[in-house]
Amino acid sequence: MVKKIEHIGIAVNSIEDSCKVYETLFQSQFYKEEHVESEGVRTAFIQVGDSKIELLEATNNDSPIAKFLEKGKEGFHHIAFEVDDIDSELKRLQTEGFQLIHVSPKDGADNKRIAFLHPKSTTGMLIELCQEKIG
Ligand code: ZN
């Protein structure tokens, strides 16, 4: 079951430059910065009410974020929904005919297990499902 919007992912050229913008906008500080090696991204999170903003910067040219920025410009990249059981949600969505980028969850930033759904099957939205890791 989907519980809430966990965060909104924004692709940026420079985390340093963008952090300043969002810290001024929200009068708050980014609380976590992380390198997710498997995805070739650096991420930073800032809390906004019950949700978060995740900034994503590419760390190499093969990174999905590098490819995204090559095609367009900085800005909205994905929306992430928190689910109570990511394994059963992925199974359910696969049965419903959704195209999954990750058939089984992988380790993501911010102590989460994550999986992405392909925009082809979500009317154009890149959707991330995530679940807090236990322990
Ligand atoms: Zn995300």
Side-chain angles (χ1 to χ4, degrees):
M1 193 185 71
V2 174
K3 290 158 77 179
K4 65 168 191 177
I5 295 174
E6 214 282 332
H7 64 266
I8 289 169
I10 297 173
V12 300
N13 291 322
S14 158
I15 281 199
E16 275 72 28
D17 293 350
S18 298
C19 273
K20 285 182 210 138
V21 174
Y22 287 97
E23 286 180 342
T24 307
L25 182 64
F26 299 129
Q27 293 185 286
S28 172
Q29 302 290 307
F30 278 82
Y31 65 90
K32 187 180 270 183
E33 202 187 303
E34 230 174 306
H35 183 193
V36 184
E37 202 142 0
S38 61
E39 288 287 296
V41 295
R42 250 176 88 209
T43 67
F45 286 89
I46 191 167
Q47 191 79 36
V48 190
D50 285 341
S51 298
K52 297 164 195 160
I53 295 288
E54 174 186 33
L55 299 182
L56 302 133
E57 178 192 285
T59 55
N60 64 58
N61 292 336
D62 295 327
S63 158
I65 296 302
K67 290 182 180 138
F68 177 85
L69 291 171
E70 264 169 36
K71 280 188 255 166
K73 51 182 172 24
E74 292 180 295
F76 176 75
H77 180 259
H78 68 269
I79 187 158
F81 296 100
E82 187 183 357
V83 294
D84 54 1
D85 182 344
I86 194 166
D87 300 283
S88 72
E89 255 332 274
L90 287 173
K91 254 182 229 142
R92 182 182 71 82
L93 292 170
Q94 198 166 27
T95 306
E96 295 281 5
F98 283 82
Q99 194 179 331
L100 310 179
I101 294 176
H102 306 108
V103 177
S104 54
K106 52 178 288 203
D107 287 345
D110 205 24
N111 196 40
K112 299 277 196 299
R113 295 171 71 219
I114 66 154
F116 279 90
L117 311 183
H118 200 286
K120 272 183 195 157
S121 58
T122 61
T123 62
M125 291 281 295
L126 179 58
I127 291 178
E128 174 186 351
L129 301 181
C130 62
Q131 183 183 6
E132 192 89 18
K133 271 194 247 174
I134 302 149

